[in-house]
Amino acid sequence: MYGGADGAVAVLSVAEEQKHLLAYAPLVKRIVRQLNSQVAGAIDRDDMEQIGLMGLLEALRRYGEPDAAFGSFASLRVRGAILDELRRQDWRPRAVRQESHRLRDSVRALTRKLGREPAEKEIIAALGITAEAYQEYQLAENAEQIGSFDELLQEGMGQADSAPSPEEQLMVRRSLEQALRGLDEREQRVVQMYYEFELSYKEIAAVLDLTDARVCQLNKGALGKMKATLQSA
């Protein structure tokens, strides 16, 4: 178990590792299902699960015997392993990235011109694109922010490569609670459904009666607010 004066981690036997891998395999499957809905089949789902399981194994070897806090630690490692592979493969086609950057620059120019955040209808009209194209743009924009919340958690814990101490866990939890309180009710629901209940954007959109793109937008805005709160703490 993680702990002790020297922070040592007891080495698990192969049999113990296999037992825990089986026990936490559903966590890997949930994370893969969620991420797979956002990356449009960029990596085969079975391959994504294998990458996630390797992340889980790494988490076990860093953490030691799982306890009540292991699930949160493992989730970061599993998601991190999959996201690292997605980034390594540069899975977004060049043309998609270029179009996304062009639209982003246009939205920024419109924002400066209006002196405020433009409404979705204003953006669509100004850019001369369809509502469907704008939704695709929002999804593409969000893809670049996929790991934002995980990175916030890892920054808060300080040492992402080791299991957090109970004191670190408490400090991170309090900081996140404070950051969440700074969000409006709808943003809080999006963050909770996405990161706690691991729902996909499509599922959240159905619950809140919104478009997938709007859910992406809310999530991105919420993460920006939370990051600003955590950095100023």
Side-chain angles (χ1 to χ4, degrees):
M1 182 179 294
Y2 179 84
D6 58 357
V9 176
V11 177
L12 298 173
S13 69
V14 173
E16 288 173 325
E17 285 183 348
Q18 290 298 316
K19 180 185 73 173
H20 294 313
L21 283 173
L22 284 173
Y24 284 92
L27 177 147
V28 174
K29 288 183 178 295
R30 288 198 307 273
I31 292 172
V32 166
R33 180 184 65 82
Q34 185 191 47
L35 291 178
N36 191 56
S37 70
Q38 293 175 244
V39 299
I43 297 181
D44 182 78
R45 187 163 182 157
D46 289 341
D47 291 342
M48 202 180 280
E49 287 189 6
Q50 287 301 312
I51 295 165
L53 285 170
M54 291 302 295
L56 175 59
L57 180 59
E58 181 186 4
L60 282 167
R61 289 175 176 174
R62 292 185 183 280
Y63 198 96
E65 184 68 25
D67 56 19
F70 176 71
S72 297
F73 179 76
S75 292
L76 288 177
R77 305 303 306 187
V78 170
R79 287 173 64 90
I82 297 171
L83 293 171
D84 284 347
E85 181 62 19
L86 284 167
R87 293 178 183 125
R88 189 186 69 78
Q89 292 194 14
D90 194 18
W91 57 275
R92 295 179 65 207
R94 182 185 299 273
V96 173
R97 291 201 308 273
Q98 290 176 338
E99 179 64 6
S100 178
H101 292 160
R102 184 186 72 80
L103 291 175
R104 183 193 305 163
D105 290 343
S106 298
V107 171
R108 286 174 176 168
L110 180 60
T111 301
R112 288 194 296 270
K113 179 181 177 181
L114 296 174
R116 59 174 171 77
E117 195 75 26
E120 185 171 318
K121 289 182 179 179
E122 291 175 318
I123 294 173
I124 291 170
L127 300 185
I129 59 176
T130 64
E132 291 74 18
Y134 180 67
Q135 285 200 34
E136 289 178 9
Y137 157 70
Q138 287 280 37
L139 290 167
E141 277 287 277
N142 186 74
E144 297 185 359
Q145 304 293 327
I146 282 177
S148 295
F149 194 73
D150 302 327
E151 289 162 5
L152 281 180
L153 289 174
Q154 289 181 350
E155 287 173 10
M157 289 179 178
Q159 297 180 349
D161 288 338
S162 61
S165 68
E167 292 78 12
E168 288 174 322
Q169 291 179 46
L170 180 60
M171 288 178 64
V172 170
R173 189 177 303 115
R174 285 178 174 171
S175 296
L176 289 174
E177 287 172 353
Q178 179 184 354
L180 278 167
R181 284 196 293 270
L183 306 178
D184 64 38
E185 183 180 353
R186 191 158 57 170
E187 289 171 334
Q188 288 181 13
R189 292 186 68 189
V190 168
V191 169
Q192 182 183 39
M193 285 189 281
Y194 186 76
Y195 293 101
E196 184 177 346
F197 299 118
E198 295 171 347
L199 298 184
S200 67
Y201 286 136
K202 190 172 293 294
E203 291 167 332
I204 297 171
V207 172
L208 299 180
D209 194 25
L210 299 169
T211 63
D212 294 9
R214 181 57 180 150
V215 172
C216 288
Q217 192 177 42
L218 286 167
N219 185 41
K220 186 176 178 181
L223 291 179
K225 290 181 183 178
M226 291 181 70
K227 188 166 187 175
T229 300
L230 291 171
Q231 290 177 337
S232 65

